[in-house]
C-alpha cells in the first residue's frame, strides 16, 4: 500500500511539473511578437550591368529600374532622379506627394554595397541592409542602420552614447571612429561589407565600424539599445535574427523627411 502511495505521489508530482512547464511554454508563445512577412516582387540581378570592378550597378543616374518603395510595388514620388542623382525631396512640389523608404528589390546575403551621398542642412537619413518587408512596420525594425547625418547641425548627433548616432555609425549601437564625415553640401563615400555575418562600415575610405551579427556580442548591443526586448519586443525578435532563415534581405534608403542625394550605387556580390 505504501509503495502504491509513493508511486502515485511521484506521478502526481511529475504531472504537476509537466503541466507547469507546458503552461510556461504556452505563456511564452503567447507573448512572442507576431508579424507578417511580405512576399513582394523581386528583380533578377542578371538584368543589371556590372562595372569594371565586377559590381552590379543598382543606380546609373538615368533609371530607377529595380527600385520600389518598402512594402510597396511602386516608387514613391518624393524619390526621383535629379541631375543624375537619386534624390529624396522633402518638398517635391507635387499635388499629391508620397514618401516612404526606398529599396532595391533583391535579397542580398554577402556583398559590398558602395555609394556616394550628400545631405541637406540638419538632414537625417540612413541605409538599411538584410532587411525584411514586414507588413505595417518600418524597415528599421528588421535591419541594422548605417547612419547618414549632418553631424554639425542635426540634434541626433548629440543624442545616443559616445556619438553612436553620428554619420556611418551603427545607429544607436556603435559609434563610427574616426568620425570623418564631410560637411553639408559635400559628397561622402560610403561602403558596407557583409560577409558571413561580419559587417564593416567604411566612410570616405576609412573603416569606422565593425561587428558580427548573430553572436552574443550582437545581442548585447541590442540589449543596450532602443531595440531591446523590454523597449521594443518585435524589433528585438527580428534584429536578433537579422536576415531571417535565409540570412539575406533587401537594401534600402531612408525617408527621414530631409533632402538627401545619392549616386554611384553599386553592389559586388560575395560568395
Amino acid at each position: 500500500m505504501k509503495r502504491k502511495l509513493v508511486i502515485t505521489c511521484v506521478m502526481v508530482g511529475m504531472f504537476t511539473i509537466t503541466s507547469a512547464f507546458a503552461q510556461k511554454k504556452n505563456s511564452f508563445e503567447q507573448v512572442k511578437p507576431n508579424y507578417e512577412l511580405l512576399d513582394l516582387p523581386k528583380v533578377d540581378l542578371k538584368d543589371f550591368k556590372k562595372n569594371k570592378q565586377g559590381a552590379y550597378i543598382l543606380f546609373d543616374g538615368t533609371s530607377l529600374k529595380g527600385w520600389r518603395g518598402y512594402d510597396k510595388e511602386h516608387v514613391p514620388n518624393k524619390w526621383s532622379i535629379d541631375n543624375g542623382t537619386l534624390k529624396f525631396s522633402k518638398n517635391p512640389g507635387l499635388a499629391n506627394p508620397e514618401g516612404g523608404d526606398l529599396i532595391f528589390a533583391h535579397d542580398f546575403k554577402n556583398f559590398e554595397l558602395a555609394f556616394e551621398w550628400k545631405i541637406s542642412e540638419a538632414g537625417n537619413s540612413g541605409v538599411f541592409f538584410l532587411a525584411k518587408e514586414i507588413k505595417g512596420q518600418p524597415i528599421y525594425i528588421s535591419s541594422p542602420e548605417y547612419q547618414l547625418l549632418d553631424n554639425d547641425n542635426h540634434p541626433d548627433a548629440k543624442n545616443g552614447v559616445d556619438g553612436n548616432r553620428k554619420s556611418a555609425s551603427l545607429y544607436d549601437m556603435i559609434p563610427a571612429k574616426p568620425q570623418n564625415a564631410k560637411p553639408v553640401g559635400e559628397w561622402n563615400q560610403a561602403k558596407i561589407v557583409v560577409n558571413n555575418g561580419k559587417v564593416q562600415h567604411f566612410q570616405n575610405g576609412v573603416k569606422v565600424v565593425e561587428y558580427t551579427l548573430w553572436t552574443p556580442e550582437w545581442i548585447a548591443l541590442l540589449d543596450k539599445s532602443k531595440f531591446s526586448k523590454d523597449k521594443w519586443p518585435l524589433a528585438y525578435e527580428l534584429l536578433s535574427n537579422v536576415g531571417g532563415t535565409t540570412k539575406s534581405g533587401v537594401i534600402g534608403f531612408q525617408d527621414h523627411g530631409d533632402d538627401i542625394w545619392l549616386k554611384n550605387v553599386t553592389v559586388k556580390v560575395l560568395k
Side-chain angles (χ1 to χ4, degrees):
M1 188 69 180
K2 289 183 178 179
R3 172 187 266 176
K4 289 183 178 179
L5 180 61
V6 170
I7 293 174
T8 301
C9 291
V10 170
M11 291 179 67
V12 170
M14 291 178 65
F15 177 77
T16 302
I17 292 171
T18 302
S19 297
F21 177 77
Q23 289 175 0
K24 185 175 182 180
K25 183 179 179 182
N26 289 335
S27 175
F28 174 75
E29 289 175 347
Q30 288 173 4
V31 300
K32 189 174 181 179
N34 293 319
Y35 60 91
E36 181 180 344
L37 183 64
L38 299 177
D39 184 20
L40 295 174
K42 299 289 174 61
V43 296
D44 191 336
L45 284 182
K46 293 179 181 179
D47 296 331
F48 294 82
K49 295 180 180 179
K50 290 184 178 181
N51 62 18
K52 294 180 180 179
Q53 290 72 43
Y56 288 98
I57 302 171
L58 305 192
F59 176 70
D60 63 2
T62 65
S63 170
L64 291 176
K65 177 183 176 181
W67 296 88
R68 60 176 173 80
Y70 172 83
D71 282 9
K72 299 177 181 178
E73 296 191 34
H74 62 278
V75 175
N77 60 19
K78 283 192 173 184
W79 292 94
S80 65
I81 298 173
D82 178 49
N83 292 322
T85 70
L86 174 58
K87 182 186 179 183
F88 176 83
S89 299
K90 180 178 181 178
N91 297 304
L94 301 173
N96 297 296
E98 180 190 13
D101 300 323
L102 189 72
I103 67 163
F104 186 82
H106 181 85
D107 284 338
F108 294 97
K109 187 172 184 177
N110 297 319
F111 58 89
E112 293 182 4
L113 166 66
F115 59 96
E116 294 178 63
W117 64 277
K118 66 178 180 178
I119 203 160
S120 55
E121 185 173 352
N124 186 338
S125 186
V127 189
F128 304 99
F129 48 96
L130 301 180
K132 298 298 186 182
E133 293 184 272
I134 309 297
K135 185 177 181 179
Q137 299 292 337
I139 191 172
Y140 53 81
I141 201 170
S142 69
S143 167
E145 179 181 352
Y146 178 115
Q147 175 82 310
L148 304 179
L149 197 77
D150 172 8
N151 291 334
D152 295 327
N153 299 294
H154 195 283
D156 220 18
K158 297 179 181 179
N159 295 329
V161 178
D162 193 26
N164 66 3
R165 295 187 182 183
K166 290 185 177 182
S167 179
S169 296
L170 171 61
Y171 177 76
D172 206 51
M173 291 191 238
I174 303 177
K177 292 187 177 182
Q179 182 49 248
N180 62 343
K182 295 180 180 179
V184 168
E186 294 187 29
W187 287 99
N188 292 272
Q189 294 181 334
K191 183 169 71 171
I192 301 169
V193 180
V194 179
N195 196 1
N196 295 315
K198 183 177 180 180
V199 184
Q200 297 173 316
H201 294 193
F202 291 81
Q203 182 165 253
N204 295 319
V206 179
K207 184 175 73 175
V208 293
V209 171
E210 184 172 298
Y211 52 98
T212 304
L213 302 169
W214 317 309
T215 62
E217 292 76 16
W218 172 249
I219 299 301
L221 287 169
L222 290 177
D223 288 336
K224 295 177 182 178
S225 75
K226 64 187 288 183
F227 310 108
S228 69
K229 190 172 185 178
D230 292 336
K231 295 176 182 176
W232 200 344
L234 180 54
Y236 185 83
E237 172 76 15
L238 293 166
L239 287 168
S240 294
N241 188 32
V242 173
T245 56
T246 62
K247 291 182 167 48
S248 65
V250 297
I251 288 166
F253 293 111
Q254 187 179 35
D255 164 9
H256 203 281
D258 299 315
D259 287 4
I260 186 166
W261 296 260
L262 305 137
K263 65 179 182 179
N264 298 327
V265 184
T266 64
V267 166
K268 184 174 184 179
V269 175
L270 306 176
K271 294 182 179 180

